[in-house]
Amino acid sequence: MADVVIVGGGFTGLWTAYWLLERNPNLGVTVLEQDICGGGPSGRNGGFASGWWDELDGLIHLYGTEPAVRAARQIGVSIAGIEEFCSKHGVDAWFRRAGYMYAATGPRHELACEEAAELAAHVGVPDELRRLTREEVQARCASPAFRSGAFMRDGASVQPALLARGLRRVALERAVTIHEGTTVTRLDGGPVAVTERGSVRAKQAVLAINAWATSWPGIGRRVAAWSSYIVLTEPAPEKLAEIHWTGGELITDLRHSVRYFRTTRDGRIAFGGGGGRAAPRIGDSFTQDHEAVRQAAEGFRRFFPSWHEVPIVDAWGGPIDVSPTHLPTFGTLPPGNVHFALGYTGNGVAPSHLAGRVIADLATGADTDLVRLPMVNPRPRLFPPEPLRSLGAAVVRRAVISFDTAEERGERPNAIADAVAHLPRRMGYLLGP
Ligand SMILES: Cc1cc2nc3c(=O)[nH]c(=O)nc-3n(C[C@H](O)[C@H](O)[C@H](O)COP(=O)(O)OP(=O)(O)OC[C@H]3O[C@@H](n4cnc5c(N)ncnc54)[C@H](O)[C@@H]3O)c2cc1C
């Protein structure tokens, strides 16, 4: 019997275990992970611990201005919290606070940067996100593809696998029970987490299963699964110096099928996105998609032509849990003893730290500011039932990529791709153009 059983040993599950014990060191906490802790996206992501000041538009639309600003501030607290955790527990996860830069690669993207900076100023946080001229962008990272941009102060990079394994080590030191290689097949009332090798009865349970939730009863329609892929170059610190990218900034373009790229401590570029696909269940297409790797590599070569002689030496992918609002929600399911965090939409490194704090408060019944954040127990937003959800996600994903590519080339998007890419917004989802 445990006090809390956590399904999933990624950042959400491990931060929840950590914060539960920070709240009450006497709690008995068990983590059940089908792979190894951090074997899923938490150990294989881009390592962008980025703020939410660029999400203000969606947050305000959903929750209003004051709650939106409160939520974005808490993500800032979480970025600082990751740094504090690493230094307190001797976890060298390459934490580097260098901010987050948007690099516009098309005229609409420049407008979007302008609007995001205006909105930040309008809600009273002009320093959190500001415009950059073309020259300022090039001074931080020179690329023939980059126009003007924007800079968000809240942004730090981590080596995600080192952070996940560091969290696991600290959890074990605090007497958390961890069973890796253990798949939970269902949660029975009680709750009881049932696995192929036995079951764990607990007072409360936490579902921290990210995109695997697409096939979990009761919550599956809250998310759709899309894949994302990253390529990694050989170390070439002298090449980074040539393009002035020595400040460690996290960078993304403004495509809806976003490209994200960063440097590493040993002088490489890790470059993600641009392709990927949707599927109803997590399978091989999320980790072994050569076409998605090719698209990520193509984006990298286009943005960094001066790196043409530097080989790409690795590539990998994983699933992301896309929510209808592009933002995660945290909360408690009826009858009140199962908690969850879901819908990070490819942006969970900093938010999962916040999820851990929120779920720890929900599970211990603490009445704090965190449980009153707007994304805690909001009205659930759902995708259509299967097979519409995954078919729709697959078709829309293709259309969005085609729309993005045409827009970036300064061409008119094909009429069908244009109509399909706009469909989610027309249906009330905060996704796509
Ligand atoms: C290629 C890629 C790049 C990304 N880049 C970034 C980035 O730069 N910045 C950012 O903020 N986010 C990024 N993300 C998203 C980020 O990785 C996730 O949002 C975050 O890791 C979510 O943490 P989690 O613990 O909820 O999920 P996960 O890390 O997926 O953990 C869930 C765990 O649950 C386990 N599990 C599932 N079902 C069961 C079951 N039935 N029984 C037992 N265990 C189960 C899984 O094996 C998995 O380990 C990226 C994602 C990918 C795939």
Side-chain angles (χ1 to χ4, degrees), residues 382-421:
L382 305 179
F383 285 119
E386 287 295 358
L388 276 181
R389 178 181 41 147
S390 51
L391 277 177
V395 173
V396 167
R397 177 77 173 164
R398 292 195 115 193
V400 167
I401 292 170
S402 157
F403 175 94
D404 281 340
T405 307
E407 197 182 55
E408 198 173 55
R409 290 182 184 148
E411 297 165 4
R412 277 176 74 85
N414 153 311
I416 297 175
D418 188 52
V420 176

Side-chain angles (χ1 to χ4, degrees), residues 85-235:
F85 168 86
C86 290
S87 66
K88 183 168 165 190
H89 297 287
V91 173
D92 182 8
W94 301 8
F95 184 96
R96 182 173 185 189
R97 184 186 283 277
Y100 178 111
M101 182 168 86
Y102 274 114
T105 55
R108 185 195 60 79
H109 302 167
E110 293 192 281
L111 192 64
C113 288
E114 221 170 288
E115 287 170 356
E118 274 167 18
L119 184 57
H122 178 72
V123 303
V125 292
D127 294 339
E128 297 295 354
L129 198 155
R130 62 186 171 80
R131 279 281 274 144
L132 293 180
T133 62
R134 184 178 183 282
E135 292 67 37
E136 286 170 323
V137 168
Q138 297 288 333
R140 288 176 181 271
C141 177
S143 160
F146 298 167
R147 306 158 80 117
S148 61
F151 186 76
M152 180 163 63
R153 226 172 24 177
D154 266 355
S157 57
V158 294
Q159 205 285 17
L162 291 175
L163 180 57
R165 298 306 281 178
L167 272 162
R168 176 186 181 275
R169 195 245 304 149
V170 173
L172 288 171
E173 283 166 7
R174 295 183 162 200
V176 171
T177 304
I178 297 180
H179 296 289
E180 297 182 317
T182 304
T183 303
V184 176
T185 50
R186 62 176 199 274
L187 268 188
D188 283 347
V192 180
V194 180
T195 80
E196 289 129 356
R197 291 186 283 148
S199 48
V200 178
R201 180 176 294 277
K203 293 179 188 146
Q204 310 199 51
V206 177
L207 285 173
I209 54 175
N210 192 18
W212 284 265
T214 49
S215 42
W216 195 272
I219 53 170
R221 281 180 59 196
R222 296 183 187 213
V223 280
W226 283 354
S227 60
S228 187
Y229 278 78
I230 295 177
V231 294
L232 183 74
T233 69
E234 238 177 32

Side-chain angles (χ1 to χ4, degrees), residues 7-13 32-36 38-50 182-185 208-212 216 228-230 260 316-321 341 344-352:
V7 187
F11 287 151
T12 301
L32 304 175
E33 165 57 50
Q34 64 187 5
D35 191 335
I36 59 167
S42 291
R44 54 175 61 220
N45 61 67
F48 283 48
S50 42
T182 304
T183 303
V184 176
T185 50
I209 54 175
N210 192 18
W212 284 265
W216 195 272
S228 187
Y229 278 78
I230 295 177
Y260 49 98
W316 62 89
I320 60 177
D321 57 342
Y344 295 109
T345 318
N347 179 12
V349 173
S352 58

